[in-house]
Amino acid sequence: MPGLRSSEKKLGQLSGIFRDAQAFRGMDPDTIVYRVWWWEPVPGGTEGGLFWGLTEIQPGSVGDEYYMTHGHRHAVLDRAEFYGTTVGEGMLVLRDESGRSWFEAMKPGSLHYISGRVAHRVVNTGDVPLRFVACWPSDAGHDYQIAGGKGFGARVLRQNGKPSFTLTEE
Ligand code: S6P
Ligand code: ZN
Protein backbone atom coordinates (compact mmCIF):
# COMPACT_ATOMS: atom_id res chain seq x y z
CA MET A 1 0.00 0.00 0.00
CA PRO A 2 1.53 3.38 -0.91
CA GLY A 3 2.52 5.53 2.03
CA LEU A 4 3.19 2.67 4.47
CA ARG A 5 6.23 3.42 6.63
CA SER A 6 8.08 2.00 9.60
CA SER A 7 10.92 3.01 11.85
CA GLU A 8 12.73 1.67 14.87
CA LYS A 9 14.22 3.63 17.72
CA LYS A 10 17.33 2.25 19.39
CA LEU A 11 18.70 3.18 22.80
CA GLY A 12 21.59 5.01 21.16
CA GLN A 13 19.08 7.36 19.48
CA LEU A 14 17.53 8.23 22.85
CA SER A 15 20.63 9.72 24.43
CA GLY A 16 19.77 12.36 27.02
CA ILE A 17 16.21 11.18 27.45
CA PHE A 18 16.72 8.91 30.45
CA ARG A 19 17.73 10.33 33.80
CA ASP A 20 20.40 7.73 34.76
CA ALA A 21 23.28 8.56 32.39
CA GLN A 22 25.58 6.00 34.00
CA ALA A 23 23.12 3.14 33.55
CA PHE A 24 22.51 4.32 29.98
CA ARG A 25 26.24 4.19 29.15
CA GLY A 26 26.41 0.59 30.39
CA MET A 27 23.74 -0.60 27.94
CA ASP A 28 23.97 -1.73 24.32
CA PRO A 29 23.12 1.30 22.11
CA ASP A 30 21.74 -1.07 19.45
CA THR A 31 18.96 -2.31 21.73
CA ILE A 32 15.61 -1.59 20.09
CA VAL A 33 13.34 0.33 22.48
CA TYR A 34 10.36 0.83 20.19
CA ARG A 35 9.09 0.45 16.64
CA VAL A 36 6.46 2.43 14.77
CA TRP A 37 4.50 1.35 11.69
CA TRP A 38 2.32 4.03 10.17
CA TRP A 39 0.34 4.87 7.07
CA GLU A 40 0.49 8.21 5.30
CA PRO A 41 -2.27 7.82 2.68
CA VAL A 42 -1.73 11.46 1.66
CA PRO A 43 1.51 13.46 1.63
CA GLY A 44 2.67 14.93 4.94
CA GLY A 45 1.41 18.49 5.30
CA THR A 46 -1.88 17.84 3.52
CA GLU A 47 -4.65 19.76 5.22
CA GLY A 48 -7.72 17.66 6.11
CA GLY A 49 -6.08 14.20 5.87
CA LEU A 50 -5.31 11.67 8.59
CA PHE A 51 -2.39 9.37 9.44
CA TRP A 52 -2.71 6.09 11.30
CA GLY A 53 0.05 4.34 13.24
CA LEU A 54 0.94 1.50 15.56
CA THR A 55 3.70 1.84 18.16
CA GLU A 56 5.23 -1.09 20.04
CA ILE A 57 7.45 -0.29 23.04
CA GLN A 58 9.56 -3.10 24.47
CA PRO A 59 9.51 -3.83 28.20
CA GLY A 60 12.67 -2.73 29.97
CA SER A 61 14.31 0.08 31.83
CA VAL A 62 17.37 2.30 32.04
CA GLY A 63 18.24 2.15 35.72
CA ASP A 64 14.86 2.53 37.42
CA GLU A 65 13.23 4.40 34.52
CA TYR A 66 10.98 2.42 32.19
CA TYR A 67 11.47 2.39 28.44
CA MET A 68 9.50 5.14 26.73
CA THR A 69 9.10 7.03 23.50
CA HIS A 70 11.13 10.16 22.84
CA GLY A 71 7.97 12.27 23.04
CA HIS A 72 6.96 15.32 21.06
CA ARG A 73 4.30 17.87 20.46
CA HIS A 74 2.93 18.70 17.05
CA ALA A 75 4.71 21.25 14.88
CA VAL A 76 1.32 22.74 13.99
CA LEU A 77 0.50 23.34 17.60
CA ASP A 78 -3.28 23.07 17.61
CA ARG A 79 -3.37 19.61 16.00
CA ALA A 80 -4.83 16.93 18.30
CA GLU A 81 -4.42 13.13 18.28
CA PHE A 82 -6.12 9.92 19.45
CA TYR A 83 -4.29 7.02 21.07
CA GLY A 84 -5.86 3.61 21.73
CA THR A 85 -4.10 0.87 23.69
CA THR A 86 -4.32 -2.68 22.36
CA VAL A 87 -1.80 -4.71 24.40
CA GLY A 88 0.16 -4.16 27.61
CA GLU A 89 0.26 -1.58 30.36
CA GLY A 90 1.74 1.86 30.45
CA MET A 91 1.37 5.53 31.09
CA LEU A 92 0.73 8.36 28.70
CA VAL A 93 2.68 11.36 30.01
CA LEU A 94 1.30 14.74 29.00
CA ARG A 95 2.47 18.29 29.45
CA ASP A 96 0.65 21.46 28.48
CA GLU A 97 2.12 24.82 27.55
CA SER A 98 1.77 26.17 31.08
CA GLY A 99 4.14 23.42 32.31
CA ARG A 100 1.49 21.29 34.00
CA SER A 101 2.31 17.58 33.72
CA TRP A 102 -0.05 14.67 34.26
CA PHE A 103 -0.57 11.09 33.10
CA GLU A 104 -3.27 8.71 31.91
CA ALA A 105 -3.07 4.97 32.59
CA MET A 106 -2.88 2.84 29.44
CA LYS A 107 -4.29 -0.68 29.30
CA PRO A 108 -6.03 -2.74 26.60
CA GLY A 109 -9.05 -0.80 25.39
CA SER A 110 -8.06 2.56 26.90
CA LEU A 111 -8.66 5.52 24.60
CA HIS A 112 -6.84 8.82 24.94
CA TYR A 113 -7.58 12.17 23.36
CA ILE A 114 -4.48 14.37 23.22
CA SER A 115 -5.42 18.01 22.75
CA GLY A 116 -3.40 20.23 20.47
CA ARG A 117 -0.50 22.04 22.17
CA VAL A 118 -0.01 19.13 24.60
CA ALA A 119 3.31 17.25 24.49
CA HIS A 120 2.95 13.46 24.69
CA ARG A 121 5.19 10.51 25.54
CA VAL A 122 4.35 6.86 26.29
CA VAL A 123 6.03 4.70 28.95
CA ASN A 124 5.85 0.89 29.05
CA THR A 125 5.41 -0.04 32.72
CA GLY A 126 4.59 -3.70 32.07
CA ASP A 127 6.43 -6.94 31.38
CA VAL A 128 5.28 -7.36 27.78
CA PRO A 129 5.53 -5.10 24.70
CA LEU A 130 3.07 -2.20 24.96
CA ARG A 131 1.13 -1.58 21.76
CA PHE A 132 -1.07 1.38 20.95
CA VAL A 133 -2.62 2.77 17.80
CA ALA A 134 -2.67 6.47 16.97
CA CYS A 135 -4.56 8.73 14.57
CA TRP A 136 -3.38 12.25 13.85
CA PRO A 137 -3.85 14.96 11.20
CA SER A 138 -1.62 14.70 8.16
CA ASP A 139 -0.50 18.32 8.58
CA ALA A 140 0.38 18.00 12.31
CA GLY A 141 4.13 17.42 11.94
CA HIS A 142 6.39 16.74 14.94
CA ASP A 143 8.42 18.98 17.22
CA TYR A 144 10.94 16.91 19.16
CA GLN A 145 12.67 19.83 20.87
CA ILE A 146 10.44 19.72 23.92
CA ALA A 147 11.68 16.32 25.00
CA GLY A 148 15.43 16.66 24.71
CA GLY A 149 15.77 14.71 27.96
CA LYS A 150 13.91 17.44 29.75
CA GLY A 151 10.68 19.20 29.05
CA PHE A 152 8.08 16.79 30.41
CA GLY A 153 8.44 17.80 34.05
CA ALA A 154 7.73 14.23 35.11
CA ARG A 155 9.26 10.76 35.01
CA VAL A 156 7.85 7.28 35.48
CA LEU A 157 10.19 5.34 37.76
CA ARG A 158 10.08 1.87 39.28
CA GLN A 159 9.81 2.27 43.04
CA ASN A 160 9.45 -0.82 45.26
CA GLY A 161 8.73 -2.81 42.10
CA LYS A 162 5.86 -0.57 41.01
CA PRO A 163 5.56 2.33 38.57
CA SER A 164 5.51 5.75 40.19
CA PHE A 165 4.69 9.00 38.40
CA THR A 166 7.16 11.54 39.77
CA LEU A 167 7.10 15.27 39.07
CA THR A 168 10.57 16.70 38.47
CA GLU A 169 12.15 20.13 38.19
CA GLU A 170 13.28 19.45 34.60
C1 S6P B 1 2.55 10.61 16.00
C2 S6P B 1 2.22 9.72 17.17
C3 S6P B 1 3.03 8.42 17.29
C4 S6P B 1 4.52 8.62 17.69
C5 S6P B 1 5.17 7.30 18.07
C6 S6P B 1 6.64 7.43 18.46
O1 S6P B 1 1.98 11.88 16.15
O2 S6P B 1 2.24 10.45 18.38
O3 S6P B 1 2.95 7.68 16.11
O4 S6P B 1 5.23 9.24 16.66
O5 S6P B 1 4.48 6.75 19.16
O6 S6P B 1 6.85 8.45 19.39
P1 S6P B 1 7.87 9.63 19.09
O7 S6P B 1 7.76 10.56 20.26
O8 S6P B 1 9.22 9.02 18.92
O9 S6P B 1 7.39 10.26 17.80
ZN1 ZN C 1 1.84 12.91 18.25
Side-chain angles (χ1 to χ4, degrees):
M1 213 147 26
L4 277 187
R5 306 189 193 291
S6 65
S7 73
E8 54 186 31
K9 198 69 93 177
K10 297 178 178 175
L11 256 185
Q13 298 170 276
L14 295 168
S15 169
I17 295 299
F18 295 96
R19 144 181 117 151
D20 188 340
Q22 195 179 344
F24 183 87
R25 279 195 297 274
M27 296 175 73
D28 179 356
D30 283 332
T31 305
I32 292 175
V33 178
Y34 60 98
R35 295 184 176 88
V36 188
W37 296 264
W38 75 101
W39 186 20
E40 299 189 358
V42 294
T46 302
E47 212 176 307
L50 293 171
F51 290 169
W52 179 267
L54 168 69
T55 301
E56 179 185 74
I57 309 173
Q58 294 304 309
S61 63
V62 176
D64 58 2
E65 189 168 21
Y66 298 96
Y67 279 1
M68 59 190 175
T69 60
H70 183 287
H72 62 270
R73 61 182 185 175
H74 294 151
V76 178
L77 278 175
D78 65 0
R79 297 305 193 258
E81 180 161 11
F82 275 121
Y83 278 0
T85 314
T86 58
V87 180
E89 284 179 26
M91 286 191 192
L92 170 58
V93 180
L94 300 155
R95 190 177 210 201
D96 69 17
E97 285 183 305
S98 74
R100 184 175 73 95
S101 303
W102 71 102
F103 75 93
E104 294 179 14
M106 298 177 77
K107 59 184 181 183
S110 69
L111 291 173
H112 309 270
Y113 177 72
I114 302 164
S115 296
R117 304 180 180 275
V118 173
H120 40 290
R121 160 183 281 169
V122 175
V123 183
N124 182 355
T125 59
D127 300 327
V128 299
L130 170 66
R131 290 191 187 143
F132 63 94
V133 293
C135 185
W136 68 101
S138 45
D139 63 349
H142 295 95
D143 173 2
Y144 286 99
Q145 294 307 314
I146 185 157
K150 305 172 195 271
F152 272 83
R155 291 186 180 278
V156 183
L157 306 173
R158 187 187 297 110
Q159 289 182 345
N160 301 318
K162 289 189 188 159
S164 160
F165 180 79
T166 309
L167 292 174
T168 66
E169 295 299 314
E170 302 164 294

